[in-house]
Every structure is written in structure tokens, then in C-alpha cells.
Amino acid sequence: MPYSPGRTIILWSLIGFASTTVIAGIVLSIWRWVQPCPVGEKRFWANCYRDLQAQPLKIGVSATSPIEDYRALATHLQEQLGVRVVVDRHTPFPEIRDRLDLKDWDIAFTGSPVLSIAAEDNNYTGMAVMYPDRPLYDRAALFVKADSKIKSIADIQPNTTIALGSSASALTFLIPIYALYGKTLKIGRGYHPREAINLVKTGKIDIGAGLYTAIKDDSALRFIYISQPIPGVGVYLSPQLLNFDRELIKIAMLNANSEIKSQAKYTAVQTPDYSELRKIIARAEEVASCLKSNQNYFNWQVPIQLFCHNFSKS
């Protein structure tokens, strides 16, 4: 190939650009290593992690969870790890996603498959599952009084009333929304399954949402819908923890005695696969978001149509 001054200039320009890029990358890495970490964090190579000697290890649970259930676990972890441990149970259930987004909890008892998915999306590491006394896979259910004229979802009319759970609940909110797609009815939101059962039994509302296993033996109630099996709830460790610290916490939790694990409602089982549930949740959340422009959003005042013009259930 004949000598070409133009090619030589281009070659040296590329070499110079590559060298500059490498040097800039090295300088940036060094700059990151010498920058101080925020208060309460420690550096390991180029990243900052929680310094458990400077701030307490935080166990996060829903505000509805009794703090007594987690005191023994906190004491056990303090003794095993030599760090201070606190239980944060001041977060209302719908706001747990914010805690996970902020990586505010070191140990997250998510309480819901929806929030387990949120933990995974925020790079939390699964290490156990909650509610060992429940099946690993439960089912969502819609139920009525045993003598109700409503025999199936097809019988629902615009004046039919239903009590759903928290918007963060897969079993009592999102899956029912998905199952009722296209129907028009009066909807209330934020009801604990026990409240929904009482409202249905007393005739104050027509339909409740709950867990199949909690209702299946109640002769006063009858199912009009039962979902496919839904994965259980995970316990997760924060990505803000150093890998070494995370492993020590995991070992300490999994080696705790059976009484501690029973009180804190967790067991050493691999966290479930949520891939199929993710699809249902995405579609249900789309339907719910379409309703937010309605001023009577989920308050039983007027019939609400569960429909989005740009939504296809199939």
C-alpha cells in the first residue's frame, strides 16, 4: 500500500484520542478514590458503602408489623455482628417502595410480591422468604357471600361494590384489577383482607379481595375468581452494604434459632421467580394509572370503568 500522509495523520489522531481517553479514565478513577464518602459510609475501592460502625444496621418492615416480632432478631444480629441494630417500622405500606428506591433499608422485609419486585429492581439481594406458615405460592381471590346473586365476574354490574387492598398489594389490588379489566363497578381501595371479609359478611359491600388460603374454609363466603399461583414475599439485603458485610448478615440471619425466625416471619428459602407476575403487574398498573384523572378515583362514589384505550389484556 503506498504511503499516504492523510492516513498517517488520521492514525496518529486516533492514537492520541485513545490515549487521552485512557488517561482521562485513570484520572477520573483516582479522583473517585480520593473523594470522601458521605457521612456514615466507608470506601472500598472506588465505591462507598454503609459503615455499620458509624450508623446502625436498619431492619425495615411495614408500619403494620408489630415491633415485638423483630426485637429478638435485632438483638441476635447485634450480638453476632457487633453493631447496633434498629427496627424501622414507621413506613406505611404504600410508601415502602420509596424506602427501597432510596436504599434506606439494609434488611428489607418487603411484605408483598410487588415490593419484592421493587427491591430486585433496586439491586437488593434476596436471601429468604417471608411467612413460612403460608404456601410459597398463594392465589388471589375475589369472594362474595355464600347466598349472593353474583355467581361470577360476568354478573358484575355498574352498581356492584368491591373492596380492594393497598395499591402495593399484588393479591388484593393489582391482580383483581387485571382480572376485572373491562368491567364497570364501584371500587374502594386500601382495605385489609380481614376488613374486606367483614364488609362482605355484613352485606355492606358485594365483593372482597383476599388470599385464597385465608378464605377457602369459610362456609359463609364463596369464590367468584381464583388466580393462578402467585409467588411469595422475599427478604432482601441492600446493595449499599459491602459484600463482606452482606454475607455476614445473611449467615447470622439464616443461622438464627427457629424461634427468632418464626417471630420475624422468615425462612431460609430462595426468593421466588417473579418474571410472570411482572407482566401482570405492569398491565394492572397501566389500567390503574388511567383512572387517576377521575376525581372519584377508587372511593365507591360512582361506577369506574376498568379500561384503557391503549391497553390490550392479551
Side-chain angles (χ1 to χ4, degrees):
M1 180 181 296
Y3 170 74
S4 171
R7 287 197 185 97
T8 303
I9 292 172
I10 293 173
L11 178 61
W12 281 108
S13 296
L14 290 174
I15 293 172
F17 176 77
S19 300
T20 301
T21 302
V22 170
I23 293 170
I26 293 172
V27 170
L28 180 60
S29 296
I30 294 173
W31 180 82
R32 286 176 176 169
W33 289 339
V34 299
Q35 292 302 302
C37 289
V39 175
E41 296 186 7
K42 60 185 177 182
R43 181 171 297 285
F44 185 78
W45 294 102
N47 298 314
C48 294
Y49 298 90
R50 295 264 288 178
D51 184 353
L52 299 180
Q53 299 300 322
Q55 58 180 321
L57 179 71
K58 189 181 294 185
I59 300 173
V61 297
S62 166
T64 59
S65 301
I67 194 168
E68 294 79 11
D69 290 350
Y70 296 90
R71 280 180 174 152
L73 174 61
T75 300
H76 170 73
L77 291 176
Q78 267 184 190
E79 293 172 349
Q80 294 296 309
L81 304 173
V83 300
R84 191 162 69 91
V85 181
V86 297
V87 180
D88 176 11
R89 57 167 299 278
H90 303 294
T91 305
F93 199 74
E95 296 176 17
I96 291 177
R97 188 188 297 265
D98 295 334
R99 289 285 188 270
L100 298 171
D101 289 344
L102 295 170
K103 318 290 193 302
D104 190 48
W105 287 352
D106 299 311
I107 304 171
F109 285 81
T110 56
S112 159
V114 176
L115 296 171
S116 295
I117 290 173
E120 292 184 356
D121 289 344
N122 281 286
N123 298 316
Y124 275 72
T125 302
M127 55 79 58
V129 296
M130 294 184 67
Y131 310 126
D133 57 329
R134 300 181 189 174
L136 185 56
Y137 288 81
D138 209 331
R139 297 172 186 262
L142 299 178
F143 56 89
V144 296
K145 287 182 70 173
D147 60 356
S148 171
K149 294 180 179 179
I150 299 173
K151 304 300 181 184
S152 70
I153 288 177
D155 297 325
I156 290 175
Q157 302 297 320
N159 64 343
T160 301
T161 53
I162 185 170
L164 299 181
S166 161
S167 57
S169 171
L171 290 166
T172 63
F173 183 81
L174 291 169
I175 292 175
I177 289 292
Y178 181 78
L180 294 168
Y181 174 73
K183 303 302 294 186
T184 300
L185 70 169
K186 295 180 179 180
I187 302 172
R189 180 183 64 174
Y191 293 88
H192 190 279
R194 285 194 296 271
E195 291 181 280
I197 289 173
N198 183 60
L199 289 169
V200 170
K201 285 185 173 180
T202 56
K204 294 179 180 178
I205 58 109
D206 299 309
I207 305 172
L211 278 65
Y212 168 76
T213 52
I215 304 162
K216 65 183 180 69
D217 296 323
D218 194 329
S219 60
L221 301 172
R222 175 169 47 79
F223 294 115
I224 62 168
Y225 168 80
I226 301 171
S227 76
Q228 293 297 313
I230 304 302
V233 180
V235 181
Y236 292 83
L237 300 178
S238 171
Q240 293 298 103
L241 294 166
L242 191 64
N243 282 343
F244 179 75
D245 291 336
R246 195 158 53 230
E247 283 303 311
L248 289 179
I249 294 167
K250 179 178 178 180
I251 291 169
M253 287 186 67
L254 297 184
N255 288 338
N257 65 49
S258 58
E259 184 177 352
I260 290 174
K261 288 190 280 192
S262 177
Q263 277 189 324
K265 300 180 179 64
Y266 74 94
T267 188
V269 176
Q270 184 176 354
T271 48
D273 178 5
Y274 298 108
S275 55
E276 290 302 314
L277 182 59
R278 283 176 181 273
K279 299 173 186 177
I280 294 174
I281 288 173
R283 293 173 177 177
E285 287 181 337
E286 183 179 352
V287 174
S289 68
C290 289
L291 306 178
K292 290 182 180 179
S293 60
N294 190 314
Q295 63 179 351
N296 295 310
Y297 178 55
F298 292 158
N299 63 6
W300 281 342
Q301 295 303 307
V302 297
I304 298 296
Q305 187 179 40
L306 296 175
F307 180 78
C308 285
H309 289 290
N310 62 343
F311 178 82
S312 173
K313 188 177 178 182
S314 62

